Amino acid sequence: MNMLLNVLVNHACTQLSSKSFHQIFYFLRNPEPILGSAVCAGIEEFVRTLLHHFPNLIHYDVIPNQNILQVAVEFLQEKIVNIIKKISPTTTKILCSVELEFENNTLHLAGKLAPSFKLFSVSGAALQMQRELQWFKDVEKMTSPSRKERKNTNNETAKDVFG
């Protein structure tokens, strides 16, 4: 994040810090989910700064029905996942186990095909597949054993979604 944007984000966080958590959360979701968009786009300095100022944001949905970790996993934002893991490995496991729509979990998200902007950032089908497999394995390490074999409403495990 460039220096001017960093100053702006820190200033906004300082101004928001006098507000109630409900007001802060409302601001970050309306008219658009600012934090969710930053996670999708991989703007890690923005996410890090917000979580530094407002650590409780980690527990709330940043886009409808998905917490910050789930969004980062779905969009293959490894640096943001690492920020969350650094804050609290225990919280990371809890966030990873939150159930999504259709009885999916975070590992099911990791099993989906990567967004095209991430997929095509690596050239060659073999390297793309290797990256996808590594990502799935990394998310699998964060997933509690009881969630790894859980089936969604389509009767698919995360490995079925991946394969």
Side-chain angles (χ1 to χ4, degrees), residues 15-27 54:
Q15 295 302 311
L16 284 171
S17 64
S18 65
K19 307 291 184 195
S20 72
F21 187 78
H22 177 74
Q23 291 171 315
I24 294 165
F25 191 66
Y26 180 82
F27 173 79
F54 311 111

Side-chain angles (χ1 to χ4, degrees), residues 112 114 119 128-136 162:
K112 290 171 47 178
L119 194 59
Q128 291 170 354
M129 186 61 180
Q130 182 180 20
R131 182 177 183 181
E132 293 276 315
L133 180 59
Q134 187 58 50
W135 182 246
F136 186 82
F162 180 76

Side-chain angles (χ1 to χ4, degrees), residues 3-4 9 18-19 23 33 37 58 85 103 117-118 128 143 145:
M3 191 169 166
L4 182 58
V9 171
S18 65
K19 307 291 184 195
Q23 291 171 315
S37 297
I58 203 168
K85 285 168 48 176
E103 298 181 25
F117 72 91
K118 279 292 193 174
Q128 291 170 354
T143 305

Side-chain angles (χ1 to χ4, degrees), residues 108 111 136 149 151-152 154-163:
H108 283 92
F136 186 82
E149 295 302 319
K151 293 186 177 189
N152 62 17
N154 293 330
N155 203 33
E156 298 171 312
T157 65
K159 286 183 180 176
D160 295 334
V161 172
F162 180 76

